[in-house]
Amino acid sequence: MKGKTLKALQVTDIHLDLNYKENATVECGIPLCCHESPKNKYDIFNPEIKLSGKYGAIGDCDCSLEVVEAFSDKAKELEPDFILFTGDNIAHNVWEDTQEEVVYYTRTIIDTMERS
C-alpha cells in the first residue's frame, strides 16, 4: 500500500524585529540596526549611507512584520499539509529580551501565519 505524500514547510530563524523602521540606518555599529533614521535628514540622499527598505535590507537588520506577513501569504499558497515551526524568532538584541517578549514575538508570528 502506498502512503500519501505530505508537503511540509519548516519555518525557523525568522528573527522578527517589531522595532524595525523603514529608511533607518543599516550599519550602525551594534549587532542590530534598522531602528533609527540617519542623524542628518539629508543622509537619505547620500548613496554611501545604506538605508532599510519596507521589506528589509542587507546589513545588520532583522525581519520587519511586513516580511512575516508576505512570507505567511506565500506559505499559504504552498498549501502545506503541516508546518514545523522550530523557533529562533526574536531579534538579535537578545541582551534586552525578557521571557514575556520572547513569548509575545512567537505568538505574533504564529498569529500572523494563522491569519493568512
Side-chain angles (χ1 to χ4, degrees):
M1 179 174 139
K2 277 188 146 180
K4 177 184 175 192
T5 300
L6 298 174
K7 287 195 293 187
L9 174 65
Q10 181 182 6
V11 179
T12 188
D13 292 274
I14 290 180
H15 298 290
L16 174 62
D17 182 359
L18 293 174
N19 295 310
Y20 179 94
K21 292 190 178 24
E22 186 177 358
N23 292 319
T25 306
V26 171
E27 296 170 347
C28 63
I30 60 173
L32 183 60
C33 302
C34 295
H35 285 183
E36 294 184 21
S37 297
K39 303 298 180 212
N40 181 339
K41 67 180 179 177
Y42 298 107
D43 282 346
I44 62 172
F45 303 110
N46 182 344
E48 294 181 20
I49 305 279
K50 295 180 189 172
L51 300 177
S52 58
K54 180 177 181 178
Y55 294 102
I58 295 175
D60 297 324
C61 305
D62 284 328
C63 260
S64 67
L65 186 57
E66 287 83 5
V67 170
V68 175
E69 290 168 346
F71 166 79
S72 297
D73 291 342
K74 193 63 172 173
K76 182 179 181 181
E77 290 176 22
L78 297 173
E79 298 179 345
D81 294 302
F82 63 96
I83 298 173
L84 299 168
F85 186 59
T86 55
D88 205 1
N89 307 317
I90 59 173
H92 282 97
N93 57 337
V94 295
W95 59 90
E96 295 178 351
D97 290 330
T98 64
Q99 182 176 356
E100 291 79 15
E101 288 173 316
V102 172
V103 170
Y104 180 75
Y105 273 57
T106 301
R107 189 76 249 165
T108 299
I109 294 166
I110 292 169
D111 290 347
T112 301
M113 292 186 73
E114 286 178 338
R115 280 193 302 273
S116 290

